[in-house]
Amino acid sequence: MLDQTMQTQLKQYLANLREPIELVASLDESEKSAQTRELLSEIAALHEHVSASFDGTDARKPSFIIRRASDANKWVRFAGLPMGHEFTSLVLALLWAGGHPPKVDADLIEQVRALEGDYEFEMYFSLSCHNCPDVVQALTLMALENTHITATLIEGGTFQDEVEERGVLAVPATFLNGTSFYNGKMELTEILSKLDSGADDKAAEKMSAKDPFEVLIVGGGPAGAAAGVYTARKGFRTGIAAERFGGQLQDTLGIENLPGTGYTEGPKLSDDLKKQVADNEIDLIDLARATQLKPASEAGGMHEVTFANGAVLKTRALILATGARWRNLGVPGEAEYRNKGVAYCPHCDGPLFKGKRIAVIGGGNSGVEAAIDLAKIVGHVTLIEYDDKLRADEVLQRKLRSLPNVEIVTSGQTTEVTGDVSRVNGLVLKDRKSGDERRIELEGVFVQIGLVPNTEWLEGTGLDLSQYGEIVTDEEGATNLPGIYAAGDATTVPHKQIVVAMGEGSKAALGAFDYLIRNEPVEDVAKAA
């Protein structure tokens, strides 16, 4: 299962084990079980602290648990093979079970250990899902730190019948004690906030206790990260508060147009930016959603940003880089069938529609790329474009038209997504030229129709916004409010591209630098310094 390079790397990781661990597999006669036996045998051969047995009795086959030999009550179970994006999760599970300390805030570990009650988690993932590892790793850590918590992590492609029975049409999908808990990406902090009623209050208290920043950046995508690096390197105390560090990068796979980088993937680029932020000693506050802005003119000399948990951060200069999110269709049935067949991430959820009929709505680059990728997995793709022609690059259009299981519909307006309460079963399509309507029977709808800026919380603050909700900026990234700058997809800058966002973030940072050196700090900042 593991090539020589992977075995060598894994052996180096396993050298960090502090105590013995046990791998106990439940297998049948299937090929996947044979592969599981091979994988566990190879892992056990790499270190004396690892043993593998194959006499497990779990109903899910193949599956295996990882547990600490000294405490059999702390375990995590993988059902199916955790390869692909989840191989890192497997490695971390081995290390954590073997006593290697996780690189997680000590306060969060204590919150996990302090949870009372019994929590039985089941979570479904796909091997191509780049959002799933965060959930897998968070649940793994919880199960290995608290004997009242168990986690069974299930590769949906191996247990397709189970996925169908439970109506899982989007991953990551997490169940708690047999009922749906959450659909989508979650990090440890978010899970704890759902289980521990005091978690948000603790986080808010910790945030609000921070000294005022010289530069606070709201948003952690390419624009926000670039801005932070620039201001930190200028010597200013910099903070980044992000609802989700990486932003849309976390939902982007192949990136081939970043100068100097032949190929990378969004999650990797996000990790690289996160490391650079840490190397520059920037205070990163992740999972922080801004809800209110008080400009300095109203807040007594410094800008104030309030967050969803009630925390308030103060700063001399503010850079808004809140990015954008996928645009919704806004038709009947879309919201009702979200995660029940309506999806927005083809890479994450595509494998769950293997052999089925689906539609992709949107004929730009994102939509056509999604249709091309999905055509390799699903039975049939109907691509629907509202305009009378596709807007994607010609090279992508040629590739799409060459695929035998793709139908292209232009001048098509989706007016309704239909379903049978539990899942999508079709959509209603109107021909914009003739006015004729028809219903297409299918099992999935992937929406790829552009972006909406994350700026609703800025309305009524006095900040100039365009008719589309974008923050209006000048050639230096400055807004109409002194000391407030903006960058990236949330602004009026044309061409929503990663490299453009990075450049705009850097430009806004230089603008903020110029503002700060020309304006004396208020008394509160002087005292805090």
Side-chain angles (χ1 to χ4, degrees):
M1 285 296 297
L2 302 177
D3 61 31
Q4 189 59 51
T5 299
M6 294 178 71
Q7 289 192 35
T8 300
Q9 291 175 342
L10 183 54
K11 187 173 184 178
Q12 292 173 345
Y13 287 128
L14 294 178
N16 293 302
L17 293 176
R18 299 183 177 182
E19 57 181 287
I21 60 175
E22 298 173 339
L23 312 178
V24 183
S26 301
L27 306 176
D28 55 21
E29 301 303 315
S30 67
E31 181 181 353
K32 283 287 180 69
S33 285
Q35 292 172 342
T36 301
R37 180 186 293 271
E38 180 182 358
L39 173 65
L40 300 188
S41 298
E42 289 176 355
I43 294 173
L46 294 176
H47 199 281
E48 61 182 2
H49 278 351
V50 184
S51 65
S53 60
F54 305 96
D55 54 359
T57 58
D58 189 71
R60 290 189 180 95
K61 297 181 175 64
S63 67
F64 62 94
I65 64 171
I66 301 172
R67 69 188 181 198
R68 193 168 299 170
S70 61
D71 190 350
N73 292 318
K74 292 181 178 179
W75 55 267
V76 61
R77 183 185 304 277
F78 287 92
L81 284 169
M83 303 300 284
H85 285 291
E86 295 302 341
F87 185 69
T88 298
S89 301
L90 171 61
V91 174
L92 290 174
L94 295 168
L95 294 178
W96 294 340
H100 184 67
K103 294 181 180 179
V104 175
D105 190 299
D107 291 342
L108 293 180
I109 297 292
E110 288 306 313
Q111 278 185 258
V112 171
R113 292 172 179 169
L115 285 174
E116 298 179 352
D118 294 319
Y119 303 94
E120 182 181 340
F121 285 101
E122 297 169 294
M123 178 263 181
Y124 294 85
F125 63 89
S126 73
L127 297 182
S128 61
C129 172
H130 49 281
N131 286 325
C132 293
D134 283 340
V135 189
V136 169
Q137 291 164 26
L139 295 177
T140 295
L141 179 64
M142 293 174 68
L144 294 174
E145 291 291 342
N146 188 325
T147 57
H148 297 290
I149 301 172
T150 64
T152 299
L153 311 166
I154 306 158
E155 193 275 295
T158 301
F159 296 90
Q160 194 69 41
D161 291 344
E162 185 175 330
V163 165
E164 292 279 349
E165 182 180 344
R166 300 188 84 162
V168 176
L169 293 173
V171 290
T174 306
F175 291 76
L176 174 58
N177 297 335
T179 61
S180 180
F181 177 67
Y182 191 78
N183 278 84
K185 180 177 177 177
M186 283 190 300
E187 297 189 16
L188 180 59
T189 306
E190 293 171 284
I191 298 173
L192 287 172
S193 71
K194 291 179 177 293
L195 302 179
D196 181 358
S197 58
D200 284 345
D201 292 338
K202 295 172 187 174
E205 182 179 358
K206 186 176 180 180
M207 283 177 64
S208 294
K210 293 180 182 290
D211 291 334
F213 291 99
E214 291 180 285
V215 180
L216 175 65
I217 299 151
V218 180
V229 170
Y230 263 73
T231 58
R233 287 173 61 83
K234 291 292 187 182
F236 291 119
R237 181 169 180 269
T238 299
I240 294 178
E243 184 170 356
R244 180 177 65 147
F245 187 84
Q248 291 183 68
L249 284 181
Q250 298 286 8
D251 304 320
T252 305
L253 281 192
I255 300 171
E256 299 177 299
N257 59 357
L258 192 63
T261 304
Y263 178 85
T264 188
E265 296 187 347
K268 181 183 184 305
L269 181 56
S270 177
D271 288 343
D272 292 342
L273 290 172
K274 196 169 190 176
K275 182 179 184 302
Q276 192 173 20
V277 164
D279 290 343
N280 282 278
E281 299 182 349
I282 297 166
D283 188 350
L284 174 59
I285 309 161
D286 208 355
L287 306 176
R289 180 170 62 86
T291 58
Q292 184 180 355
L293 166 64
K294 277 189 179 181
S297 59
E298 299 178 16
M302 282 187 291
H303 309 294
E304 291 185 1
V305 180
T306 303
F307 294 84
N309 61 8
V312 177
L313 296 178
K314 298 181 179 182
T315 183
R316 286 182 63 200
L318 177 66
I319 299 176
L320 301 170
T322 49
R325 63 188 183 275
W326 290 115
R327 185 183 299 277
N328 292 327
L329 280 171
V331 301
E334 179 184 20
E336 293 87 337
Y337 291 103
R338 188 187 301 268
N339 297 322
K340 296 179 181 180
V342 174
Y344 300 83
C345 180
H347 304 293
C348 300
D349 301 330
L352 301 176
F353 294 85
K354 183 177 181 180
K356 297 180 179 180
R357 298 179 63 88
I358 63 99
V360 173
I361 302 178
N365 281 351
S366 296
V368 172
E369 287 174 354
I372 292 170
D373 287 345
L374 289 166
K376 304 170 188 174
I377 303 169
V378 304
H380 186 270
V381 178
T382 301
L383 182 106
I384 302 169
E385 165 56 34
Y386 184 85
D387 202 350
D388 59 3
K389 60 181 181 301
L390 300 184
R391 294 168 287 107
D393 295 342
E394 185 59 36
V395 63
L396 295 175
Q397 293 191 41
R398 286 198 300 270
K399 175 63 176 176
L400 182 71
R401 296 180 194 282
S402 72
L403 301 175
N405 62 335
V406 173
E407 176 190 0
I408 300 172
V409 178
T410 56
S411 298
Q413 180 181 357
T414 303
T415 59
E416 183 181 2
V417 177
T418 64
D420 61 1
V421 179
S422 63
R423 63 184 61 195
V424 166
N425 62 19
L427 60 77
V428 178
L429 183 65
K430 178 181 179 180
D431 187 308
R432 294 178 51 245
K433 292 182 177 178
S434 68
D436 294 340
E437 285 192 344
R438 62 170 170 138
R439 184 177 179 278
I440 302 175
E441 293 187 1
L442 41 76
E443 289 81 23
V445 178
F446 287 80
V447 182
Q448 303 278 291
I449 57 171
L451 302 170
V452 178
N454 296 316
T455 58
E456 291 90 345
W457 66 286
L458 296 169
E459 295 173 1
T461 61
L463 197 70
D464 281 349
L465 301 176
S466 74
Q467 61 178 321
Y468 304 109
E470 298 168 319
I471 304 168
V472 178
T473 58
D474 66 13
E475 65 276 6
E476 292 187 354
T479 71
N480 63 302
L481 298 180
I484 299 182
Y485 295 76
D489 288 1
T491 73
T492 50
V493 66
H495 312 305
K496 314 301 187 187
Q497 297 288 309
I498 294 168
V499 68
V500 173
M502 288 178 170
E504 291 295 310
S506 305
K507 185 172 71 175
L510 293 173
F513 164 72
D514 187 63
Y515 169 82
L516 289 171
I517 63 175
R518 295 174 187 274
N519 291 270
E520 292 296 324
V522 295
E523 184 180 357
D524 288 345
V525 175
K527 288 180 179 179

